[in-house]
Amino acid sequence: EAQVTQNPRYLITVTGKKLTVTCSQNMNHEYMSWYRQDPGLGLRQIYYSMNVEVTDKGDVPEGYKVSRKEKRNFPLILESPSPNQTSLYFCASRGGGNYNEQFFGPGTRLTVL
Amino acid sequence: AQSVAQPEDQVNVAEGNPLTVKCTYSVSGNPYLFWYVQYPNRGLQFLLKYITGDNLVKGSYGFEAEFNKSQTSFHLKKPSALVSDSALYFCAVREGAAGNKLTFGGGTRVLVKP
């Protein structure tokens, strides 16, 4: 089954404790992206990657890091999480041209205390 | 900078009645427009898109959307709403062939009452 998977689905952590949210897709897509969803703000892009070793900042990159060492994986790293990073996070991927729709993962609900 | 506005936070409609969810956009160049739906505790699912061609686009689950260039709108419609259509709907825009960024509206919650 074609899908985007994220782990963990739920995470409660404390301020300053480094964490990684994994994202993997099995569709051989070049493009991958991370979003955060906050009430009333829709989805805002954090980082995106056009292909292996090619990443770029989205609208809200502060406090986040990403890497793209393999085509299928695009982990999101929070080096020192803060309470304002409490949010619902989605990974997405897209193949082919940018006229194609994105496929979204199921989401990761992160709470930073 | 590109942007999307969904002017209604929530739309209430009775089952069987027509459903409209409004979306307006701002982008340089030609827009690529998308609608996604989010059910509780789920990721976003693609409904339909406008890239070029016919202004009326048909998508999944009986939804359709009309692209209006002069009004910069891309409203989502369904002729007869179902209770199961209750969900959060997002409109999104990308700037044509050159754009890598997909910008989302704030979302509209649809509540269909039996």
Side-chain angles (χ1 to χ4, degrees):
Chain A
E1 179 189 356
Q3 60 183 347
V4 178
T5 56
Q6 296 178 227
N7 282 292
R9 294 288 313 278
Y10 302 90
L11 179 60
I12 300 174
T13 189
V14 295
T15 299
K17 187 176 181 181
K18 181 179 179 179
L19 66 91
T20 299
V21 184
T22 65
C23 172
S24 182
Q25 49 92 6
N26 62 1
M27 296 169 280
N28 201 36
H29 285 167
E30 293 83 12
Y31 180 95
M32 297 185 74
S33 184
W34 276 103
Y35 296 88
R36 60 177 289 173
Q37 181 182 5
D38 301 290
L41 298 178
L43 277 76
R44 293 178 293 169
Q45 190 178 53
I46 302 170
Y47 269 95
Y48 66 94
S49 170
M50 296 298 292
N51 214 323
V52 175
E53 302 292 1
V54 181
T55 64
D56 206 349
K57 296 177 180 179
D59 293 320
V60 288
E62 294 78 18
Y64 304 95
K65 287 176 57 178
V66 293
S67 69
R68 188 89 180 274
K69 293 183 171 56
E70 306 167 281
K71 197 172 187 179
R72 63 184 292 126
N73 296 324
F74 190 44
L76 179 69
I77 303 157
L78 284 71
E79 295 269 2
S80 182
S82 61
N84 64 11
Q85 294 179 298
T86 293
S87 188
L88 181 58
Y89 291 86
F90 289 100
C91 180
S93 72
R94 165 174 62 80
N98 62 359
Y99 46 80
N100 285 330
E101 62 272 21
Q102 294 189 55
F103 291 82
F104 284 82
T108 296
R109 186 168 293 281
L110 172 65
T111 301
V112 184
L113 302 175
Chain B
Q2 58 196 49
S3 65
V4 176
Q6 293 182 241
E8 299 157 316
D9 291 336
Q10 181 160 321
V11 170
N12 298 318
V13 63
E15 187 173 32
N17 282 1
L19 169 63
T20 298
V21 185
K22 295 179 181 177
C23 170
T24 58
Y25 67 90
S26 174
V27 68
S28 302
N30 293 322
Y32 290 172
L33 293 154
F34 302 82
W35 275 102
Y36 289 84
V37 60
Q38 184 181 28
Y39 298 102
N41 300 313
R42 301 284 296 277
L44 276 72
Q45 297 177 30
F46 168 75
L47 277 179
L48 51 79
K49 66 183 177 184
Y50 171 82
I51 303 301
T52 187
D54 194 345
N55 289 342
L56 185 63
V57 178
K58 294 188 182 298
S60 307
Y61 312 121
F63 284 94
E64 58 188 29
E66 185 165 11
F67 171 66
N68 187 316
K69 188 173 184 177
S70 63
Q71 297 184 6
T72 61
S73 67
F74 189 55
H75 301 329
L76 181 70
K77 300 180 181 182
K78 186 171 184 179
S80 178
L82 302 172
V83 173
S84 57
D85 293 328
S86 298
L88 187 56
Y89 291 79
F90 290 99
C91 181
V93 68
R94 177 179 292 132
E95 181 190 341
N100 291 318
K101 177 181 169 182
L102 188 64
T103 298
F104 286 83
T108 298
R109 187 165 300 280
V110 171
L111 181 60
V112 181
K113 298 180 179 179

